[in-house]
Amino acid sequence: MLHFAWAVLAGFALGTPAVPFGLSISLAPPVALIAVLLGAAGCLLSAVFATGWLRTQWQVRRSKRRPVTAEPTPGTRRNRLDSPTGLRARRVVNRYGVIGFGIIGPALFGTWGSAMLGTALGLPRWRLIGWLMTGVTLWCTVMLLASEAVIDAFGLR
């Protein structure tokens, strides 16, 4: 039971790379996968809700600081997503959508990074969580199969 708890904690802290850790502490492959997925789910939920709360607080603070004008004057930006970098990020999200971001995000940015980035970009919360969990499940399964192949190839059991 203690090994399972360690694997859940590793899944919370690391995300997908915690699968080999679960195998290294003598958990059966399906048990290691489930433990890491539980930890990653906790990670996603806490990151999305915490970042969403921070984003809301930031927007409230900015709206109190600056009066909102009906039409922005030329040459000014209303928010950071209007900058060239923000527009580029928005084009990527518009091209691949929440589904593509959720599946590719955990591999590119990690579990914490993709959850915070998706929330900061304003993606719908529950769709983001669902697709990120799908992506984490996919990449954890790939990591499990690769780890098992390496263990079998080198005879480490």
Side-chain angles (χ1 to χ4, degrees):
M1 187 65 168
L2 184 62
H3 292 290
F4 186 82
W6 277 109
V8 171
L9 184 62
F12 182 82
L14 301 173
T16 305
V19 173
F21 173 76
L23 295 174
S24 72
I25 59 174
S26 302
L27 287 177
V31 175
L33 181 66
I34 289 170
V36 171
L37 288 176
L38 283 174
C43 164
L44 286 176
L45 289 171
S46 62
V48 166
F49 286 111
T51 306
W53 181 80
L54 287 172
R55 182 175 186 260
T56 303
Q57 295 302 313
W58 177 257
Q59 288 173 339
V60 167
R61 182 175 168 228
R62 287 188 70 200
S63 69
K64 287 180 182 177
R65 233 176 41 198
R66 285 190 229 162
V68 178
T69 59
E71 293 180 28
T73 58
T76 62
R77 293 182 292 169
R78 292 193 65 173
N79 61 33
R80 289 198 172 177
L81 291 178
D82 292 337
S83 70
T85 304
L87 291 174
R88 206 171 316 131
R90 180 58 65 189
R91 271 196 311 266
V92 169
V93 170
N94 287 341
R95 175 181 251 175
Y96 300 110
V98 178
I99 297 170
F101 183 81
I103 292 175
I104 300 297
L108 294 178
F109 309 115
T111 308
W112 285 97
S114 57
M116 288 190 284
L117 182 61
T119 305
L121 288 173
L123 297 177
R125 184 177 291 170
W126 288 107
R127 286 188 66 206
L128 178 67
I129 290 170
W131 284 108
L132 281 174
M133 258 330 280
T134 303
V136 166
T137 303
L138 171 76
W139 293 111
C140 281
T141 305
V142 168
M143 185 70 80
L144 177 74
L145 295 174
S147 298
E148 281 292 309
V150 167
I151 289 170
D152 288 343
F154 290 107
L156 297 175
R157 285 211 180 147

